[in-house]
Every structure is written in C-alpha cells, then in structure tokens.
Amino acid sequence: MVESICRMNHVVKAYECNWKGELSLSHVVGIMMLASRKQERGLAHPDLIYQKGLSWIVIQNQLTVNRLPKLEEEIIVETEPVGYNKFFTFRRYTILSQEEEVLVDALTTFSMINIKERKLISLDEEVLSEYPIENKKDNRRNPRVPKIDLDNASVQTYRVRLNDIDYNHHVNNAKYFDWVMDSLGMDFIKTHSLKSVLVKYDKEILPEATVKSFYEIRETENGVQTLHQLESDDQKCCHLSLEWEVK
C-alpha cells in the first residue's frame, strides 16, 4: 500500500506568483492538489475511480497562512488523508520551507461525484480501500463560513474563460481565488497580509458562465475580515471568509 504521508519538492515559478513575488493563493491550492495527485498515482489502481465514472471534488478548504512562499523558493509540500465518513474524506496539506518551517497549513474536505449525472454520491468503498486511510473514521463538523451582507457588499462581474475549465468540465476551484483577490484590488493587497482562509463550495460553475463576485470588508479586533460570495445565474456557488493582518 502507498505510504500514508506523501512529500514532494517544488520550486516556485514566476507564473505562479502575484505582482509582489509571492505564491498566489490559487497556485497554493493548485500545488496542494498536485501533491495529492502524486500520492494517487502511487495507488495500486490509480484509475479505478475514473473507470467507475466517478471523481473527487473539493467541498471545503481551511488554510492557515504563516507566510506565502516567494519566487524561486524551494518548498516542500506534504499531504496525507486523515479521516473519512460516509460522504466525506479529509486530507491535510502542509507547505514547508527547506528548513521545515510551516508556511501554510490546510485541511481539505472532499466528496465524490458521479461525473455523468453531476451528482454527489456516498463514498465508493472499493475506491476508498485503495488509500492509506483504514481505521480513520472521522465525523467532524466543518466550521461555517460567516454570512456576507449582500445589501452592503460591492460586486464585480467576470466571464468564465476556456482556460478556467478543468478535466471535470467545470471551473477549477483554485480559479475562484483569482476572482476574490482581483475584486479586493491592488491597494488592499499591498497593505494587508493574508492569515487564514475558509471557503465552502456550494455549486459548480460551468463553461461560458457569467460570475458575480460579491465582497464585504469588515474591521475586527485582530485585523480585517473580508467576506465573499460567488454567484452564477443568480445561484450561490461559493462563499469565503479571509482574515488579514494590517501591515
């Protein structure tokens, strides 16, 4: 059986960075997914889930950011499945410096989808048995994302591009972070440091859709909180809460 913990090395590329020379949030998530994909390719039957017409999808992400990796920095990405129940499986990701300093820590909740019917299903036991996750039953409850006040929120509109679509034939969930950051603008990003992210995915965004990105900025005792909601065809697709530290 494949090892429980999978580690991979990565050098941060220029196209993965924002204008400040830091790894962008969308690429943080993208690199996390590469690590779990590497572990998946080491399974005894790595294509079993696709042969059954199924796929993993991300339901929720929780990230704690100590420092974003920088351009050309050599980082280590570590991941392991940490639990499961009838409908969800949970996976830990850690991005470390070469000195083993924890830069980003994350917990991601996955579920399983029938690709043809576009419906969530209970976890397939045969697929699940391929992973090093035995004896890790986990009935945790994910934290709720605070609700945005749409009456006081600002909004920007985006059009889904061809390159936003992934192999599941919907917008890659990492793309959502680009819309979120773009809506906040350069002046805000320049004067704030990201500390944590909580995101819940509600509904997939399909090709050629128009997306509305609502956002609200709130001051808190510890800094600033931004709340976000992405909508397509007047349906809520994703909502997020980001915590920031004022520089």
Side-chain angles (χ1 to χ4, degrees), residues 12 18 20-26 28 63-71 73 75 95 101-104 181 189 192-195 197 244:
V12 178
N18 60 22
K20 297 193 295 182
E22 298 173 338
L23 187 64
S24 70
L25 189 54
S26 58
V28 167
L63 292 87
T64 300
V65 180
N66 297 316
R67 174 175 70 78
L68 290 170
K70 299 177 181 178
L71 174 63
E73 183 173 2
I75 58 175
I95 297 178
E101 171 197 2
V102 175
L103 305 181
V104 181
M181 294 299 182
I189 304 298
H192 296 77
S193 296
L194 182 64
K195 303 309 292 180
V197 178
W244 303 82

Side-chain angles (χ1 to χ4, degrees), residues 93-105:
Y93 297 91
T94 307
I95 297 178
L96 306 108
S97 69
Q98 286 296 305
E99 294 73 36
E100 302 284 333
E101 171 197 2
V102 175
L103 305 181
V104 181
D105 196 41

Side-chain angles (χ1 to χ4, degrees), residues 33 37 40 46-59 87-89 109-124 127-128 131 166-170 172-173 204:
M33 296 301 111
R37 179 65 174 165
E40 184 179 73
D47 295 320
L48 177 62
I49 187 171
Y50 308 110
Q51 292 167 358
K52 286 174 165 264
L54 309 175
S55 183
W56 294 111
I57 62 166
V58 176
I59 298 295
F87 293 103
F88 306 112
T89 182
T109 303
F110 290 87
S111 191
M112 201 172 277
I113 189 173
N114 180 300
I115 296 175
K116 184 177 181 179
E117 297 180 0
R118 314 302 294 179
K119 290 183 179 179
L120 293 179
I121 62 169
S122 57
L123 300 186
D124 185 283
V127 172
L128 199 62
Y131 290 82
D166 64 16
Y167 61 88
N168 283 326
H169 304 290
H170 61 202
N172 188 290
N173 61 71
E204 63 184 350

